[in-house]
Amino acid sequence: MLRTHTCGELNKSLVNQSVTRCGWIDTIRDLGQGKFIVLRDRYGTTQIVTNPKSSQEVLETADLLKSEYVVQATGTVSERPSGQENSEMSTGEIELVVTDLQILNKSKLPPFLPNQRELPNEDLRLKHRYLDLRRPQMQKTMFSRSLITKSIRDYFERNDFIDIETPILGRSTPEGARDYLVPSRIQNGSFYALPQSPQIYKQIMMIAGYDRYVQIARCFRDEDLRADRQPEFTQLDMEMSFVDADDVIGMIDGLMKHLAKNILGIELTLPLPRMTYDEAMTRFGHDAPDLRFGMEIVDCTDLAAKSDFRVFKSVADAGNFVRAINAKGGAAKYSRKGIDQLTKFVQEDFGAKGLAWFRVEEDGTLFSPIAKNFAPELLEEFKQRMEGETGDLFLFVADTWEVSCKSLYGLRKRLGAELELYDPDDMNFSWIVEFPMFAHDEEEDRWDAMHHPFTAPRDEDLEFLASDPGRARAKAYDLVINGYEAGGGTIRIHDSETQSHVFSLLGLDEATARERFGFLLDALQYGAPPHGGIALGIDRIVMLFNKLDNIRDCITFPKTQKATDLMTDAPNAVDDVQLGELGIEIAKKEVARS
RNA sequence: GGCGCUGUAGCUCAAUUGGUUAGAGUACCGGACUGUCGAUCCGGUGGUUGCGAGUUCGAGUCUCGUCAGCGUCGCCA
């Protein structure tokens, strides 16, 4: 070992001992007769000092030091003179009076310094990720991530789960997200797919009798990126046999309590609250609502039908919806111009035709450019329904159920942040349950699986599979934290009769189903136990537990929005020899990257 | 694929209606200083304003294109 101690562990108990530490030069303060040099490693920082009594060799070496040099410093731990302690530093009571100083490696002047106050632009951080990862904030997140995965593994081990690895090279199935494909050299023209999730393998493991499976699994989806979405991400994937939805939910409840305590030091009360999908859509317009604040959606369709306002009336008469949110105290914050921006927002992002608004005035009356279309008594009814008070701003979307949900959800999320309706440090855990089995695809007039085609219907909804598929609810559950979908799971179908029924509803004929999922259908016929599970997004959990607002800060080497790794420049072009072995020719060279 | 924001010194940002030699802080380099800890003080280096066209007497500023980063909609069973 080149060191006896790290930079975070020196304290008064070591005074007068000779110790050796290694680290990076964080700062140098040169006072002429002596230098104060702060050395940094992942455990912390300590100050080392030179003075006129230092050896000539030490002084000469100290003169050569620059930012981010890697050094080895041996010296005597000394108490700092009275009044010179630094309470900001964990090692601030002591310093190291250096007796030997070695430069282990030099550093070019970095484009940015790990201790600089203003964060550089993200592209620069990603290009020089090794410098960015030296920043204490990034290190803190990575340690937190490590602690989270360790806690997860401990929890599942205590609960008799088996940690099992599943293949990365798998079979492509055209369901769901786009696959990342890997060409086969041995079988030219054939491709593996990287897993979007280990879904099918873990079901097979249940059939194989490994009744409690867990894996921290890397998953891949070739879709566009977002602040909370990367093409390559990590899931906590688990599956259990002989369980129903409550058992899986209960197991994850326990995990969340364990994590909240270990990572955040807070006690969660179990069970975590649950809300049905239908209730979430009605009250919040979304299946992953942020429950840290209110501002729920209020349905005013019946009132709208009584107005002379053509837009409201026609929408109501057509069987669509006039729904609203009340931005409490929002009238002051949103001027006409501000409301115009909100209108543009719902139009451009959610396809709403417009945004009607009312302001509650000082005298309690409602003001709006469209108010003249409403009888005074009707306005009063609106105010009552919206629980309006002076200074409130009502925002109405009159549209289809889907558009009103999306628009009001978007507005609620935006206004919640802009009006600071919640404490950013709050953590809200809840379940959304009883998702629909199917979503109707209007364009192609067919049913799509809301989750995946192996999801089991609720026992009491079995009959709807035949009579009214849109009414059938699934044994499905999503964990929502602060308005983010932290994960989702289902109880799976384990009998082939129900499975065939679902396939036929999805328009999958037997031959197609066999071609895509034959191995699973076969396996289901050899004694498949009732089973179900869940997958949680580890990156998102790290993000939420660390109060971060983007997932890239939780991943050591993330991709940009164009799915590039700025440090390695992946993806890159490969030479024709490599392509030739794979039997591949590029039809259209759009980008030639080196 | 759509919409929007951003791109100026190593870094973070300024630059009035289009108008003189594009500034500041920080970093860096040199000097001073025995207790600093965002050290301080003095001096200095540093720019093809992402790239390419166009409009104009004149473009960091306006227009078009393009590249990159970010946000978002579509998409993500």
Side-chain angles (χ1 to χ4, degrees):
Chain A
M1 294 284 277
L2 299 183
R3 65 185 177 195
T4 60
H5 294 78
T6 70
C7 296
E9 63 180 321
L10 297 185
N11 59 43
K12 272 185 171 172
S13 69
L14 294 160
V15 164
N16 292 330
Q17 286 194 30
S18 181
V19 301
T20 304
R21 298 174 314 139
C22 296
W24 286 260
I25 301 292
D26 195 66
T27 52
I28 302 169
R29 290 181 286 271
D30 183 355
L31 274 76
Q33 296 282 323
K35 283 185 164 80
F36 297 95
I37 300 162
V38 176
L39 211 55
R40 182 190 70 243
D41 65 17
R42 80 168 170 94
Y43 304 91
T45 54
T46 333
Q47 175 165 281
I48 69 179
V49 295
T50 65
N51 57 40
K53 287 183 245 166
S54 302
S55 72
Q56 194 59 30
E57 202 185 343
V58 163
L59 291 176
E60 278 171 13
T61 307
D63 279 340
L64 298 173
L65 297 179
K66 294 182 193 302
S67 290
E68 299 307 308
Y69 274 33
V70 186
V71 304
Q72 179 189 45
T74 301
T76 312
V77 179
S78 311
E79 251 182 283
R80 293 197 189 185
S82 177
Q84 297 296 329
E85 303 87 356
N86 185 342
S87 57
E88 308 275 300
M89 272 169 101
S90 64
T91 61
E93 287 184 323
I94 53 92
E95 61 196 3
L96 195 67
V97 180
V98 63
T99 53
D100 184 56
L101 191 58
Q102 300 296 327
I103 294 173
L104 299 179
N105 208 345
K106 294 180 179 183
S107 168
K108 280 174 65 177
L109 178 65
F112 62 93
L113 295 170
N115 62 4
Q116 82 181 43
R117 300 195 150 231
E118 287 147 328
L119 211 52
N121 280 329
E122 198 170 352
D123 44 358
L124 195 72
R125 292 173 53 204
L126 291 175
K127 185 170 161 64
H128 303 276
R129 194 59 160 173
Y130 36 86
L131 297 176
D132 194 43
L133 287 166
R134 279 182 197 166
R135 291 171 43 237
Q137 174 62 50
M138 286 302 290
Q139 297 192 334
K140 184 168 161 277
T141 307
M142 294 310 150
F143 304 152
S144 167
R145 185 177 178 123
S146 172
L147 183 57
I148 286 171
T149 52
K150 180 192 183 302
S151 299
I152 289 172
R153 290 195 166 103
D154 288 348
Y155 177 82
F156 282 105
E157 192 191 339
R158 275 211 308 279
N159 283 284
D160 289 329
F161 281 73
I162 314 170
D163 192 320
I164 289 167
E165 292 177 86
T166 53
I168 292 293
L169 297 176
R171 180 186 172 84
S172 177
T173 51
E175 308 286 314
R178 293 184 185 88
D179 284 324
Y180 274 100
L181 294 176
V182 179
S184 166
R185 176 184 60 82
I186 293 172
Q187 297 180 41
N188 276 193
S190 286
F191 295 82
Y192 300 98
L194 305 183
Q196 296 182 26
S197 91
Q199 179 63 33
I200 287 171
Y201 296 110
K202 69 177 177 177
Q203 288 193 239
I204 299 273
M205 291 310 292
M206 292 303 106
I207 296 169
Y210 295 70
D211 63 358
R212 291 188 166 201
Y213 145 95
V214 69
Q215 179 178 197
I216 291 179
R218 197 66 65 85
C219 304
F220 307 86
R221 293 180 190 172
D222 188 4
E223 296 293 345
D224 285 357
L225 292 84
R226 288 285 188 284
D228 63 348
R229 248 164 50 191
Q230 282 274 307
E232 174 179 357
F233 59 100
T234 307
Q235 276 189 353
L236 161 68
D237 195 51
M238 71 90 124
E239 192 82 0
M240 306 168 76
S241 290
F242 311 115
V243 291
D244 212 331
D246 282 347
D247 302 305
V248 179
I249 291 175
M251 187 59 69
I252 298 300
D253 271 2
L255 175 66
M256 287 302 125
K257 188 180 174 72
H258 179 63
L259 287 181
K261 188 170 182 174
N262 265 13
I263 313 300
L264 303 169
I266 58 176
E267 281 294 339
L268 289 187
T269 307
L270 300 185
L272 297 173
R274 301 180 198 179
M275 182 185 293
T276 65
Y277 171 88
D278 289 339
E279 187 181 348
M281 296 307 285
T282 304
R283 291 172 59 189
F284 302 101
H286 196 260
D287 62 3
D290 191 339
L291 298 178
R292 288 176 298 180
F293 63 103
M295 199 155 76
E296 297 188 15
I297 296 175
V298 181
D299 194 320
C300 296
T301 311
D302 56 326
L303 300 180
K306 293 195 278 181
S307 78
D308 298 322
F309 184 44
R310 229 177 44 236
V311 173
F312 275 19
K313 201 164 163 44
S314 63
V315 164
D317 291 347
N320 284 320
F321 298 85
V322 178
R323 300 201 293 164
I325 51 173
N326 179 356
K328 280 288 183 194
K333 171 112 184 172
Y334 296 97
S335 59
R336 295 287 278 256
K337 202 173 161 191
I339 295 170
D340 285 348
Q341 283 170 358
L342 296 178
T343 306
K344 213 173 140 195
F345 170 58
V346 292
Q347 287 173 331
E348 289 178 355
D349 278 9
F350 308 108
K353 287 175 199 69
L355 189 65
W357 58 273
F358 290 85
R359 192 169 71 205
V360 186
E361 302 284 71
E362 282 291 331
D363 62 4
T365 59
L366 295 190
F367 172 82
S368 171
I370 58 168
K372 60 179 184 296
N373 299 296
F374 299 79
E377 310 82 61
L378 188 56
L379 285 179
E380 188 56 30
E381 279 191 75
F382 269 105
K383 188 181 152 192
Q384 295 297 328
R385 178 77 57 88
M386 299 299 298
E387 297 176 10
E389 296 172 308
T390 296
D392 289 356
L393 179 67
F394 306 160
L395 298 166
F396 286 83
V397 174
D399 219 302
T400 59
W401 175 258
E402 198 187 337
V403 170
S404 76
C405 278
K406 282 185 182 177
S407 304
L408 291 168
Y409 162 73
L411 279 174
R412 179 177 177 272
K413 191 170 167 182
R414 177 167 171 173
L415 296 177
E418 290 180 0
L419 293 169
E420 297 177 19
L421 297 183
Y422 54 89
D423 177 353
D425 285 339
D426 265 3
M427 292 292 283
N428 182 290
F429 298 77
S430 59
W431 290 97
I432 306 297
V433 298
E434 295 178 21
F435 282 75
M437 282 289 287
F438 310 104
H440 195 252
D441 185 326
E442 300 297 334
E443 278 176 30
E444 300 189 29
D445 188 29
R446 64 184 178 90
W447 295 102
D448 279 338
M450 189 106 168
H451 200 77
H452 60 62
F454 316 111
T455 299
R458 299 200 312 155
D459 301 333
E460 52 268 54
D461 291 358
L462 262 173
E463 53 180 297
F464 297 136
L465 286 190
S467 60
D468 187 0
R471 247 179 102 180
R473 291 294 181 266
K475 289 181 179 175
Y477 31 84
D478 277 7
L479 178 68
V480 177
I481 306 176
N482 295 354
Y484 285 89
E485 182 193 328
T490 65
I491 298 298
R492 331 296 179 187
I493 297 169
H494 67 279
D495 68 288
S496 45
E497 195 184 325
T498 310
Q499 187 65 71
S500 305
H501 200 149
V502 169
F503 277 153
S504 70
L505 274 169
L506 295 172
L508 276 176
D509 59 59
E510 206 169 319
T512 312
R514 273 225 72 77
E515 201 258 317
R516 290 186 190 168
F517 308 113
F519 55 97
L520 180 63
L521 298 178
D522 283 346
L524 283 171
Q525 291 178 39
Y526 291 98
H531 64 285
I534 194 167
L536 303 182
I538 300 266
D539 314 280
R540 279 189 195 170
I541 286 174
V542 174
M543 172 177 91
L544 291 164
F545 275 48
N546 285 280
K547 323 286 183 202
L548 299 169
D549 59 6
N550 94 64
I551 206 168
R552 296 181 299 278
D553 282 347
C554 312
I555 296 173
T556 44
F557 304 102
K559 307 281 191 289
T560 67
Q561 209 165 74
K562 291 191 72 182
T564 301
D565 176 341
L566 290 178
M567 190 181 75
T568 65
D569 238 350
N572 58 310
V574 297
D575 67 42
D576 291 341
V577 176
Q578 235 177 323
L579 288 177
E581 287 183 334
L582 298 166
I584 287 177
E585 210 174 309
I586 304 299
K588 195 174 65 172
K589 278 189 185 165
E590 282 187 2
V591 194
R593 297 187 77 96
S594 54

